[in-house]
Amino acid sequence: MNLTPLAPPPHAPAAARRRGTVVVTSMASDSHTWNLVYLQLLIEELGYEVVNLGPCVPDDLLVTSCRDLAPELVVISSVNGHGHQDGLRVIAALRAAGELSATPVVIGGKLGVTGRQSPEELAALTAAGFDAVFDDASTGIADFSRFVSSVESAALRPAERAGVPA
């Protein structure tokens, strides 16, 4: 798999082209791709280079790719409704990798098979280590765009990350 980031859009301002790399991915159980393409295009418009790992990404490939790329942000998307369950496993693997412990990681999409997640389920995802959760039943693309635009560096320490609103 080629992990070279795609070039930013030619109309992106020069300053925006230097914002860093974002990894966009699904999880091992999620075979959807259009959500990933949409996120890639949106994040590129915000000035980041994007590495789209695609669908059905095994946990070990995600961790290895993030170690190699040292992204400013990791965006995990779920469409199949298993995002909550799979997300807890994936964030544990990412946070266990020492060099990724402070990398901002967000999850979003259809996180449960019944639709909107309870506040307790969303809180469990942030307690497990996600910096923000974007449940498609309760948050919009504007919230996600604001969060992505606020990301400054993958080197932020966990205490500093806690100050970024989800």
Side-chain angles (χ1 to χ4, degrees):
M1 175 180 287
N2 181 359
L3 297 179
T4 306
L6 298 176
H11 59 281
R17 287 188 218 147
R18 294 187 291 269
R19 293 196 77 176
T21 301
V22 173
V23 170
V24 171
T25 187
S26 70
M27 294 171 280
S29 71
D30 203 312
S31 63
H32 298 87
T33 57
W34 287 113
N35 54 318
L36 301 173
V37 171
Y38 175 81
L39 287 168
Q40 177 179 342
L41 293 171
L42 174 67
I43 295 166
E44 286 173 344
E45 285 292 321
L46 294 172
Y48 291 89
E49 295 181 31
V50 175
V51 174
N52 185 338
L53 296 180
C56 298
V57 177
D59 299 359
D60 59 341
L61 176 60
L62 175 59
V63 171
T64 300
S65 298
C66 289
R67 279 183 167 148
D68 292 346
L69 294 165
E72 271 54 55
L73 174 65
V74 178
V75 176
I76 300 173
S77 179
S78 175
V79 175
N80 69 358
H82 296 242
H84 183 270
Q85 175 184 331
D86 291 347
L88 292 172
R89 184 192 70 247
V90 170
I91 195 63
L94 286 167
R95 294 302 182 218
E99 62 268 49
L100 301 173
S101 65
T103 301
V105 181
V106 301
I107 189 168
K110 186 176 179 189
L111 301 176
V113 294
T114 61
R116 187 178 193 154
Q117 298 291 270
S118 71
E120 294 79 20
E121 290 169 315
L122 298 176
L125 289 166
T126 55
F130 282 102
D131 294 277
V133 178
F134 300 96
D135 180 15
D136 68 357
S138 59
T139 56
I141 200 66
D143 296 328
F144 175 75
S145 295
R146 276 191 295 278
F147 182 90
V148 172
S149 294
S150 75
V151 173
E152 292 298 324
S153 172
L156 291 175
R157 293 184 297 277
E160 292 169 323
R161 289 188 296 117
V164 178

